[in-house]
């Protein structure tokens, strides 16, 4: 660790002592205990989102869209829609709308990872998702992780808003001593081993040089299922709070999985009972049904930062599909033109002339 990092940790510690806030002390104690009980890291893989650099707000890059997408193109689609709706809803200026729509036009055709519109730089950004691990498995939520004041178990309750939008991508803004120490330790992190293709490993080694700093994004929570050999695999998406992840797991067992996988009545009843038993236990972080075991765990994300800002997708990151036209055509006056669906019975002009 360099002298600068050591000095920064000393400064953070001094600030923690000066504030003398019991909540901060307990949070740091939780983090220290977690580093001992869960010393390993279990890597899930890359996630993608969108960041923006707006000179009017300062030189920092800030997240615009949550970093939760599984492929770069999913994040590009999010930026594509953001700019289209800006053109539709946020301006009456024809020149402004024309500039936004020109960028949208590019994104309909090309898999671009950075665009500029109205003086703001937008970039598709890349992070890595991981969980801490130890002899007990993956790390569960900590006692100091925030929970909703009025937790609801109703499956259709809106989830807590993501903490990502507006988050400043500055390595020096770590929320505490342990967080900053973790960032320091992760600077040397790269993909290694037979699990990863050689191209991914090479890109990872390169990224450690081109984007040497690390930022920890806000912690998220998810459910995992124990598979063969005790390997834990994701069983759902990322959520803002532990309770949001618990409610999603409950909804899956109680209702959603039965519809998705067409359970028979007997199996549906078994899963329904397991769901209600899980709900009755309140803040339980483990659920069992038949021979399946599910757990709620903390999911952390790191992002690399270079001299020009956050890391974009790497050449070895793959997409399931490419860019496409996602919205109707809009003119510079803001009029949306819904193209009429072509009648499949309509043939060529020659066919019409034969009548």
């Amino acid at each position: 660790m360099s002298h600068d990092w050591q000095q920064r940790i000393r400064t953070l510690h001094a600030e923690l002592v000066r504030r003398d806030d019991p909540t901060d002390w307990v949070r740091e104690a939780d983090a220290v205990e977690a580093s001992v009980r869960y010393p390993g890291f279990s890597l899930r893989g890359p996630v993608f989102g969108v960041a923006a650099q707006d000179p009017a707000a300062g030189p920092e890059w800030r997240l615009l869209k949550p970093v939760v997408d599984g492929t770069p193109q999913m994040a590009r689609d999010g930026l594509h829609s953001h700019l289209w709706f800006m053109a539709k809803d946020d301006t009456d200026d024809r020149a402004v709308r024309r500039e936004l729509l020109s960028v949208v036009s590019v994104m309909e055709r090309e898999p671009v990872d950075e665009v500029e519109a109205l003086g703001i730089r937008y970039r598709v950004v890349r992070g890595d998702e991981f969980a801490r691990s130890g002899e007990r498995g993956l790390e569960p939520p900590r006692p100091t992780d925030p929970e909703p004041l009025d937790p609801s178990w109703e499956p259709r309750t809106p989830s807590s808003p993501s903490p990502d939008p507006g988050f400043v991508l500055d390595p020096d803004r770590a929320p505490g001593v342990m967080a900053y120490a973790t960032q320091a330790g992760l600077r040397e992190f790269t993909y290694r081993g037979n699990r990863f293709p050689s191209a991914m490993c090479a890109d990872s080694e390169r990224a450690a040089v081109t984007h040497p700093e690390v930022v920890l994004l806000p912690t998220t929570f998810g459910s995992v299922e124990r598979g063969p050999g005790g390997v834990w695999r994701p069983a759902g998406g990322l959520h803002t709070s532990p309770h949001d992840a618990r409610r999603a797991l409950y909804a899956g067992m109680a209702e959603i999985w039965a519809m998705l996988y067409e359970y028979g009545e007997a199996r549906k009843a078994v899963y329904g009972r397991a769901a209600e038993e899980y709900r009755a236990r309140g803040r339980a972080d483990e659920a069992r049904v038949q021979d399946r075991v599910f757990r709620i765990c903390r999911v952390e994300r790191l992002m690399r930062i270079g001299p020009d800002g956050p890391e974009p997708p790497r050449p070895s990151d793959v997409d399931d599909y490419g860019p496409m036209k996602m919205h109707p055509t809009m003119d510079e006056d803001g009029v949306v033109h819904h193209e009429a669906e072509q009648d499949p019975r309509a043939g060529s002009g020659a066919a019409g002339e034969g009548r």
Side-chain angles (χ1 to χ4, degrees), residues 279-308:
R279 172 175 174 169
R281 290 161 58 204
R283 290 191 175 185
D285 291 323
E286 182 171 294
R288 295 173 179 264
V289 53
Q290 295 185 323
D291 59 348
R292 304 174 72 181
V293 180
F294 300 90
R295 285 184 182 171
I296 305 300
C297 68
R298 298 178 103 246
V299 181
E300 301 188 59
R301 296 164 297 161
L302 68 90
M303 182 175 290
R304 288 198 167 276
I305 309 294
D308 191 41

PDB file of all heavy atoms in Angstrom, residues 279-308:
ATOM      1  N   ARG A 279     -41.693 -16.190   5.917  1.00  0.00           N
ATOM      2  CA  ARG A 279     -42.203 -14.862   6.255  1.00  0.00           C
ATOM      3  C   ARG A 279     -42.436 -14.718   7.753  1.00  0.00           C
ATOM      4  O   ARG A 279     -42.130 -13.668   8.342  1.00  0.00           O
ATOM      5  CB  ARG A 279     -43.489 -14.612   5.484  1.00  0.00           C
ATOM      6  CG  ARG A 279     -44.230 -13.342   5.883  1.00  0.00           C
ATOM      7  CD  ARG A 279     -45.424 -13.102   4.992  1.00  0.00           C
ATOM      8  NE  ARG A 279     -46.222 -11.959   5.456  1.00  0.00           N
ATOM      9  CZ  ARG A 279     -47.188 -11.393   4.762  1.00  0.00           C
ATOM     10  NH1 ARG A 279     -47.501 -11.860   3.556  1.00  0.00           N
ATOM     11  NH2 ARG A 279     -47.851 -10.368   5.243  1.00  0.00           N
ATOM     12  N   ALA A 280     -42.937 -15.761   8.398  1.00  0.00           N
ATOM     13  CA  ALA A 280     -43.251 -15.696   9.834  1.00  0.00           C
ATOM     14  C   ALA A 280     -42.003 -15.520  10.682  1.00  0.00           C
ATOM     15  O   ALA A 280     -42.089 -15.062  11.830  1.00  0.00           O
ATOM     16  CB  ALA A 280     -43.996 -16.962  10.246  1.00  0.00           C
ATOM     17  N   ARG A 281     -40.835 -15.841  10.132  1.00  0.00           N
ATOM     18  CA  ARG A 281     -39.584 -15.721  10.898  1.00  0.00           C
ATOM     19  C   ARG A 281     -38.991 -14.324  10.841  1.00  0.00           C
ATOM     20  O   ARG A 281     -37.923 -14.066  11.393  1.00  0.00           O
ATOM     21  CB  ARG A 281     -38.584 -16.751  10.390  1.00  0.00           C
ATOM     22  CG  ARG A 281     -38.986 -18.185  10.750  1.00  0.00           C
ATOM     23  CD  ARG A 281     -38.273 -19.192   9.877  1.00  0.00           C
ATOM     24  NE  ARG A 281     -36.816 -19.060   9.990  1.00  0.00           N
ATOM     25  CZ  ARG A 281     -35.961 -19.452   9.059  1.00  0.00           C
ATOM     26  NH1 ARG A 281     -36.426 -19.961   7.912  1.00  0.00           N
ATOM     27  NH2 ARG A 281     -34.665 -19.317   9.235  1.00  0.00           N
ATOM     28  N   GLY A 282     -39.667 -13.395  10.155  1.00  0.00           N
ATOM     29  CA  GLY A 282     -39.226 -11.994  10.156  1.00  0.00           C
ATOM     30  C   GLY A 282     -37.964 -11.767   9.365  1.00  0.00           C
ATOM     31  O   GLY A 282     -37.963 -11.864   8.143  1.00  0.00           O
ATOM     32  N   ARG A 283     -36.865 -11.476  10.056  1.00  0.00           N
ATOM     33  CA  ARG A 283     -35.608 -11.132   9.378  1.00  0.00           C
ATOM     34  C   ARG A 283     -34.728 -12.340   9.112  1.00  0.00           C
ATOM     35  O   ARG A 283     -33.506 -12.220   9.078  1.00  0.00           O
ATOM     36  CB  ARG A 283     -34.837 -10.106  10.203  1.00  0.00           C
ATOM     37  CG  ARG A 283     -35.474  -8.725  10.226  1.00  0.00           C
ATOM     38  CD  ARG A 283     -34.515  -7.711  10.832  1.00  0.00           C
ATOM     39  NE  ARG A 283     -35.042  -6.361  10.764  1.00  0.00           N
ATOM     40  CZ  ARG A 283     -34.362  -5.280  11.145  1.00  0.00           C
ATOM     41  NH1 ARG A 283     -33.130  -5.413  11.624  1.00  0.00           N
ATOM     42  NH2 ARG A 283     -34.899  -4.083  11.052  1.00  0.00           N
ATOM     43  N   ALA A 284     -35.316 -13.476   8.889  1.00  0.00           N
ATOM     44  CA  ALA A 284     -34.522 -14.679   8.609  1.00  0.00           C
ATOM     45  C   ALA A 284     -33.782 -14.527   7.283  1.00  0.00           C
ATOM     46  O   ALA A 284     -34.332 -13.998   6.312  1.00  0.00           O
ATOM     47  CB  ALA A 284     -35.420 -15.899   8.567  1.00  0.00           C
ATOM     48  N   ASP A 285     -32.558 -15.001   7.251  1.00  0.00           N
ATOM     49  CA  ASP A 285     -31.749 -14.896   6.041  1.00  0.00           C
ATOM     50  C   ASP A 285     -31.514 -16.249   5.385  1.00  0.00           C
ATOM     51  O   ASP A 285     -30.682 -16.352   4.469  1.00  0.00           O
ATOM     52  CB  ASP A 285     -30.405 -14.227   6.361  1.00  0.00           C
ATOM     53  CG  ASP A 285     -30.580 -12.757   6.714  1.00  0.00           C
ATOM     54  OD1 ASP A 285     -31.438 -12.116   6.101  1.00  0.00           O
ATOM     55  OD2 ASP A 285     -29.875 -12.274   7.614  1.00  0.00           O
ATOM     56  N   GLU A 286     -32.247 -17.283   5.808  1.00  0.00           N
ATOM     57  CA  GLU A 286     -32.158 -18.582   5.148  1.00  0.00           C
ATOM     58  C   GLU A 286     -33.544 -19.182   5.035  1.00  0.00           C
ATOM     59  O   GLU A 286     -34.353 -19.094   5.960  1.00  0.00           O
ATOM     60  CB  GLU A 286     -31.238 -19.532   5.908  1.00  0.00           C
ATOM     61  CG  GLU A 286     -31.075 -20.890   5.213  1.00  0.00           C
ATOM     62  CD  GLU A 286     -30.005 -21.760   5.846  1.00  0.00           C
ATOM     63  OE1 GLU A 286     -28.820 -21.375   5.766  1.00  0.00           O
ATOM     64  OE2 GLU A 286     -30.356 -22.804   6.438  1.00  0.00           O
ATOM     65  N   ALA A 287     -33.825 -19.789   3.895  1.00  0.00           N
ATOM     66  CA  ALA A 287     -35.101 -20.456   3.657  1.00  0.00           C
ATOM     67  C   ALA A 287     -34.825 -21.824   3.051  1.00  0.00           C
ATOM     68  O   ALA A 287     -33.907 -21.985   2.241  1.00  0.00           O
ATOM     69  CB  ALA A 287     -35.976 -19.629   2.724  1.00  0.00           C
ATOM     70  N   ARG A 288     -35.640 -22.828   3.451  1.00  0.00           N
ATOM     71  CA  ARG A 288     -35.501 -24.173   2.926  1.00  0.00           C
ATOM     72  C   ARG A 288     -36.848 -24.647   2.401  1.00  0.00           C
ATOM     73  O   ARG A 288     -37.883 -24.414   3.038  1.00  0.00           O
ATOM     74  CB  ARG A 288     -34.998 -25.138   4.011  1.00  0.00           C
ATOM     75  CG  ARG A 288     -33.581 -24.824   4.494  1.00  0.00           C
ATOM     76  CD  ARG A 288     -33.192 -25.689   5.690  1.00  0.00           C
ATOM     77  NE  ARG A 288     -31.846 -25.408   6.136  1.00  0.00           N
ATOM     78  CZ  ARG A 288     -30.756 -26.092   5.779  1.00  0.00           C
ATOM     79  NH1 ARG A 288     -30.887 -27.145   4.964  1.00  0.00           N
ATOM     80  NH2 ARG A 288     -29.564 -25.761   6.220  1.00  0.00           N
ATOM     81  N   VAL A 289     -36.809 -25.316   1.283  1.00  0.00           N
ATOM     82  CA  VAL A 289     -38.017 -25.921   0.739  1.00  0.00           C
ATOM     83  C   VAL A 289     -37.603 -27.180  -0.008  1.00  0.00           C
ATOM     84  O   VAL A 289     -36.731 -27.136  -0.886  1.00  0.00           O
ATOM     85  CB  VAL A 289     -38.788 -24.947  -0.180  1.00  0.00           C
ATOM     86  CG1 VAL A 289     -37.903 -24.374  -1.261  1.00  0.00           C
ATOM     87  CG2 VAL A 289     -40.011 -25.609  -0.776  1.00  0.00           C
ATOM     88  N   GLN A 290     -38.205 -28.310   0.398  1.00  0.00           N
ATOM     89  CA  GLN A 290     -37.786 -29.609  -0.093  1.00  0.00           C
ATOM     90  C   GLN A 290     -36.282 -29.753   0.113  1.00  0.00           C
ATOM     91  O   GLN A 290     -35.792 -29.600   1.219  1.00  0.00           O
ATOM     92  CB  GLN A 290     -38.240 -29.790  -1.545  1.00  0.00           C
ATOM     93  CG  GLN A 290     -39.774 -29.831  -1.688  1.00  0.00           C
ATOM     94  CD  GLN A 290     -40.237 -30.119  -3.075  1.00  0.00           C
ATOM     95  OE1 GLN A 290     -39.653 -29.677  -4.061  1.00  0.00           O
ATOM     96  NE2 GLN A 290     -41.336 -30.872  -3.193  1.00  0.00           N
ATOM     97  N   ASP A 291     -35.518 -30.032  -0.925  1.00  0.00           N
ATOM     98  CA  ASP A 291     -34.063 -30.193  -0.753  1.00  0.00           C
ATOM     99  C   ASP A 291     -33.286 -28.961  -1.174  1.00  0.00           C
ATOM    100  O   ASP A 291     -32.073 -29.021  -1.390  1.00  0.00           O
ATOM    101  CB  ASP A 291     -33.571 -31.405  -1.538  1.00  0.00           C
ATOM    102  CG  ASP A 291     -33.871 -31.279  -3.033  1.00  0.00           C
ATOM    103  OD1 ASP A 291     -34.659 -30.377  -3.406  1.00  0.00           O
ATOM    104  OD2 ASP A 291     -33.330 -32.086  -3.821  1.00  0.00           O
ATOM    105  N   ARG A 292     -33.961 -27.821  -1.279  1.00  0.00           N
ATOM    106  CA  ARG A 292     -33.311 -26.589  -1.731  1.00  0.00           C
ATOM    107  C   ARG A 292     -33.055 -25.660  -0.545  1.00  0.00           C
ATOM    108  O   ARG A 292     -33.883 -25.553   0.370  1.00  0.00           O
ATOM    109  CB  ARG A 292     -34.169 -25.882  -2.776  1.00  0.00           C
ATOM    110  CG  ARG A 292     -34.499 -26.752  -3.968  1.00  0.00           C
ATOM    111  CD  ARG A 292     -35.458 -26.079  -4.923  1.00  0.00           C
ATOM    112  NE  ARG A 292     -34.820 -24.989  -5.671  1.00  0.00           N
ATOM    113  CZ  ARG A 292     -35.460 -24.236  -6.563  1.00  0.00           C
ATOM    114  NH1 ARG A 292     -36.764 -24.429  -6.792  1.00  0.00           N
ATOM    115  NH2 ARG A 292     -34.818 -23.286  -7.221  1.00  0.00           N
ATOM    116  N   VAL A 293     -31.913 -24.969  -0.594  1.00  0.00           N
ATOM    117  CA  VAL A 293     -31.533 -24.024   0.459  1.00  0.00           C
ATOM    118  C   VAL A 293     -31.226 -22.677  -0.187  1.00  0.00           C
ATOM    119  O   VAL A 293     -30.442 -22.596  -1.138  1.00  0.00           O
ATOM    120  CB  VAL A 293     -30.290 -24.513   1.245  1.00  0.00           C
ATOM    121  CG1 VAL A 293     -29.919 -23.499   2.321  1.00  0.00           C
ATOM    122  CG2 VAL A 293     -30.548 -25.879   1.854  1.00  0.00           C
ATOM    123  N   PHE A 294     -31.861 -21.629   0.328  1.00  0.00           N
ATOM    124  CA  PHE A 294     -31.667 -20.271  -0.167  1.00  0.00           C
ATOM    125  C   PHE A 294     -31.149 -19.396   0.963  1.00  0.00           C
ATOM    126  O   PHE A 294     -31.508 -19.586   2.128  1.00  0.00           O
ATOM    127  CB  PHE A 294     -32.978 -19.681  -0.699  1.00  0.00           C
ATOM    128  CG  PHE A 294     -33.581 -20.449  -1.831  1.00  0.00           C
ATOM    129  CD1 PHE A 294     -34.486 -21.469  -1.586  1.00  0.00           C
ATOM    130  CD2 PHE A 294     -33.231 -20.159  -3.139  1.00  0.00           C
ATOM    131  CE1 PHE A 294     -35.046 -22.186  -2.625  1.00  0.00           C
ATOM    132  CE2 PHE A 294     -33.780 -20.874  -4.190  1.00  0.00           C
ATOM    133  CZ  PHE A 294     -34.687 -21.893  -3.935  1.00  0.00           C
ATOM    134  N   ARG A 295     -30.335 -18.432   0.619  1.00  0.00           N
ATOM    135  CA  ARG A 295     -29.846 -17.473   1.614  1.00  0.00           C
ATOM    136  C   ARG A 295     -29.869 -16.061   1.044  1.00  0.00           C
ATOM    137  O   ARG A 295     -29.734 -15.861  -0.168  1.00  0.00           O
ATOM    138  CB  ARG A 295     -28.418 -17.812   2.052  1.00  0.00           C
ATOM    139  CG  ARG A 295     -28.328 -19.005   2.979  1.00  0.00           C
ATOM    140  CD  ARG A 295     -26.916 -19.225   3.458  1.00  0.00           C
ATOM    141  NE  ARG A 295     -26.824 -20.405   4.312  1.00  0.00           N
ATOM    142  CZ  ARG A 295     -25.679 -20.926   4.739  1.00  0.00           C
ATOM    143  NH1 ARG A 295     -24.525 -20.364   4.372  1.00  0.00           N
ATOM    144  NH2 ARG A 295     -25.677 -21.987   5.509  1.00  0.00           N
ATOM    145  N   ILE A 296     -30.022 -15.108   1.938  1.00  0.00           N
ATOM    146  CA  ILE A 296     -29.888 -13.692   1.603  1.00  0.00           C
ATOM    147  C   ILE A 296     -28.448 -13.294   1.896  1.00  0.00           C
ATOM    148  O   ILE A 296     -27.912 -13.592   2.980  1.00  0.00           O
ATOM    149  CB  ILE A 296     -30.855 -12.821   2.419  1.00  0.00           C
ATOM    150  CG1 ILE A 296     -32.298 -13.302   2.239  1.00  0.00           C
ATOM    151  CG2 ILE A 296     -30.712 -11.359   2.033  1.00  0.00           C
ATOM    152  CD1 ILE A 296     -32.806 -13.257   0.819  1.00  0.00           C
ATOM    153  N   CYS A 297     -27.791 -12.645   0.963  1.00  0.00           N
ATOM    154  CA  CYS A 297     -26.398 -12.250   1.193  1.00  0.00           C
ATOM    155  C   CYS A 297     -26.168 -10.813   0.743  1.00  0.00           C
ATOM    156  O   CYS A 297     -26.943 -10.252  -0.023  1.00  0.00           O
ATOM    157  CB  CYS A 297     -25.432 -13.198   0.477  1.00  0.00           C
ATOM    158  SG  CYS A 297     -25.473 -13.097  -1.318  1.00  0.00           S
ATOM    159  N   ARG A 298     -25.093 -10.256   1.277  1.00  0.00           N
ATOM    160  CA  ARG A 298     -24.637  -8.933   0.844  1.00  0.00           C
ATOM    161  C   ARG A 298     -23.919  -9.085  -0.495  1.00  0.00           C
ATOM    162  O   ARG A 298     -23.133 -10.012  -0.675  1.00  0.00           O
ATOM    163  CB  ARG A 298     -23.647  -8.320   1.840  1.00  0.00           C
ATOM    164  CG  ARG A 298     -24.181  -8.076   3.202  1.00  0.00           C
ATOM    165  CD  ARG A 298     -23.085  -7.498   4.111  1.00  0.00           C
ATOM    166  NE  ARG A 298     -23.260  -6.062   4.286  1.00  0.00           N
ATOM    167  CZ  ARG A 298     -22.444  -5.142   3.848  1.00  0.00           C
ATOM    168  NH1 ARG A 298     -21.364  -5.482   3.165  1.00  0.00           N
ATOM    169  NH2 ARG A 298     -22.675  -3.863   4.086  1.00  0.00           N
ATOM    170  N   VAL A 299     -24.180  -8.185  -1.399  1.00  0.00           N
ATOM    171  CA  VAL A 299     -23.510  -8.201  -2.696  1.00  0.00           C
ATOM    172  C   VAL A 299     -22.829  -6.851  -2.880  1.00  0.00           C
ATOM    173  O   VAL A 299     -23.495  -5.808  -2.875  1.00  0.00           O
ATOM    174  CB  VAL A 299     -24.509  -8.455  -3.840  1.00  0.00           C
ATOM    175  CG1 VAL A 299     -23.772  -8.482  -5.180  1.00  0.00           C
ATOM    176  CG2 VAL A 299     -25.255  -9.767  -3.619  1.00  0.00           C
ATOM    177  N   GLU A 300     -21.522  -6.870  -2.985  1.00  0.00           N
ATOM    178  CA  GLU A 300     -20.763  -5.633  -3.158  1.00  0.00           C
ATOM    179  C   GLU A 300     -20.324  -5.505  -4.617  1.00  0.00           C
ATOM    180  O   GLU A 300     -20.276  -6.482  -5.370  1.00  0.00           O
ATOM    181  CB  GLU A 300     -19.562  -5.617  -2.217  1.00  0.00           C
ATOM    182  CG  GLU A 300     -19.975  -5.722  -0.742  1.00  0.00           C
ATOM    183  CD  GLU A 300     -18.823  -5.513   0.193  1.00  0.00           C
ATOM    184  OE1 GLU A 300     -18.206  -4.425   0.141  1.00  0.00           O
ATOM    185  OE2 GLU A 300     -18.523  -6.425   0.993  1.00  0.00           O
ATOM    186  N   ARG A 301     -20.028  -4.281  -5.005  1.00  0.00           N
ATOM    187  CA  ARG A 301     -19.603  -4.015  -6.380  1.00  0.00           C
ATOM    188  C   ARG A 301     -18.426  -3.056  -6.360  1.00  0.00           C
ATOM    189  O   ARG A 301     -18.435  -2.065  -5.618  1.00  0.00           O
ATOM    190  CB  ARG A 301     -20.752  -3.395  -7.187  1.00  0.00           C
ATOM    191  CG  ARG A 301     -21.966  -4.301  -7.374  1.00  0.00           C
ATOM    192  CD  ARG A 301     -23.178  -3.506  -7.826  1.00  0.00           C
ATOM    193  NE  ARG A 301     -23.585  -2.534  -6.831  1.00  0.00           N
ATOM    194  CZ  ARG A 301     -24.364  -1.475  -7.064  1.00  0.00           C
ATOM    195  NH1 ARG A 301     -24.809  -1.252  -8.284  1.00  0.00           N
ATOM    196  NH2 ARG A 301     -24.680  -0.650  -6.088  1.00  0.00           N
ATOM    197  N   LEU A 302     -17.434  -3.359  -7.156  1.00  0.00           N
ATOM    198  CA  LEU A 302     -16.290  -2.458  -7.302  1.00  0.00           C
ATOM    199  C   LEU A 302     -16.269  -1.918  -8.717  1.00  0.00           C
ATOM    200  O   LEU A 302     -16.731  -2.565  -9.653  1.00  0.00           O
ATOM    201  CB  LEU A 302     -14.980  -3.169  -6.960  1.00  0.00           C
ATOM    202  CG  LEU A 302     -14.483  -4.285  -7.880  1.00  0.00           C
ATOM    203  CD1 LEU A 302     -13.574  -3.729  -8.987  1.00  0.00           C
ATOM    204  CD2 LEU A 302     -13.722  -5.335  -7.091  1.00  0.00           C
ATOM    205  N   MET A 303     -15.745  -0.717  -8.863  1.00  0.00           N
ATOM    206  CA  MET A 303     -15.577  -0.119 -10.185  1.00  0.00           C
ATOM    207  C   MET A 303     -14.185   0.476 -10.274  1.00  0.00           C
ATOM    208  O   MET A 303     -13.713   1.126  -9.331  1.00  0.00           O
ATOM    209  CB  MET A 303     -16.635   0.967 -10.427  1.00  0.00           C
ATOM    210  CG  MET A 303     -16.546   1.611 -11.810  1.00  0.00           C
ATOM    211  SD  MET A 303     -17.891   2.782 -12.093  1.00  0.00           S
ATOM    212  CE  MET A 303     -19.273   1.641 -12.213  1.00  0.00           C
ATOM    213  N   ARG A 304     -13.543   0.272 -11.401  1.00  0.00           N
ATOM    214  CA  ARG A 304     -12.212   0.822 -11.609  1.00  0.00           C
ATOM    215  C   ARG A 304     -12.302   2.227 -12.194  1.00  0.00           C
ATOM    216  O   ARG A 304     -13.174   2.520 -13.028  1.00  0.00           O
ATOM    217  CB  ARG A 304     -11.392  -0.078 -12.534  1.00  0.00           C
ATOM    218  CG  ARG A 304     -10.975  -1.376 -11.862  1.00  0.00           C
ATOM    219  CD  ARG A 304      -9.830  -2.060 -12.596  1.00  0.00           C
ATOM    220  NE  ARG A 304      -9.253  -3.119 -11.788  1.00  0.00           N
ATOM    221  CZ  ARG A 304      -8.328  -2.939 -10.853  1.00  0.00           C
ATOM    222  NH1 ARG A 304      -7.869  -1.713 -10.624  1.00  0.00           N
ATOM    223  NH2 ARG A 304      -7.857  -3.953 -10.156  1.00  0.00           N
ATOM    224  N   ILE A 305     -11.375   3.081 -11.758  1.00  0.00           N
ATOM    225  CA  ILE A 305     -11.337   4.478 -12.179  1.00  0.00           C
ATOM    226  C   ILE A 305      -9.946   4.787 -12.727  1.00  0.00           C
ATOM    227  O   ILE A 305      -8.927   4.411 -12.135  1.00  0.00           O
ATOM    228  CB  ILE A 305     -11.639   5.428 -10.992  1.00  0.00           C
ATOM    229  CG1 ILE A 305     -12.925   5.020 -10.276  1.00  0.00           C
ATOM    230  CG2 ILE A 305     -11.701   6.875 -11.479  1.00  0.00           C
ATOM    231  CD1 ILE A 305     -14.182   5.180 -11.092  1.00  0.00           C
ATOM    232  N   GLY A 306      -9.900   5.453 -13.860  1.00  0.00           N
ATOM    233  CA  GLY A 306      -8.639   5.856 -14.459  1.00  0.00           C
ATOM    234  C   GLY A 306      -8.530   7.369 -14.532  1.00  0.00           C
ATOM    235  O   GLY A 306      -9.401   8.097 -14.031  1.00  0.00           O
ATOM    236  N   PRO A 307      -7.485   7.890 -15.147  1.00  0.00           N
ATOM    237  CA  PRO A 307      -7.309   9.340 -15.244  1.00  0.00           C
ATOM    238  C   PRO A 307      -8.477  10.048 -15.930  1.00  0.00           C
ATOM    239  O   PRO A 307      -8.758  11.214 -15.636  1.00  0.00           O
ATOM    240  CB  PRO A 307      -6.018   9.483 -16.063  1.00  0.00           C
ATOM    241  CG  PRO A 307      -5.284   8.198 -15.841  1.00  0.00           C
ATOM    242  CD  PRO A 307      -6.342   7.151 -15.716  1.00  0.00           C
ATOM    243  N   ASP A 308      -9.180   9.350 -16.825  1.00  0.00           N
ATOM    244  CA  ASP A 308     -10.297   9.963 -17.540  1.00  0.00           C
ATOM    245  C   ASP A 308     -11.652   9.471 -17.035  1.00  0.00           C
ATOM    246  O   ASP A 308     -12.661   9.608 -17.712  1.00  0.00           O
ATOM    247  CB  ASP A 308     -10.174   9.679 -19.045  1.00  0.00           C
ATOM    248  CG  ASP A 308     -11.165  10.510 -19.857  1.00  0.00           C
ATOM    249  OD1 ASP A 308     -11.344  11.697 -19.531  1.00  0.00           O
ATOM    250  OD2 ASP A 308     -11.767   9.951 -20.797  1.00  0.00           O
TER     251      ASP A 308
END
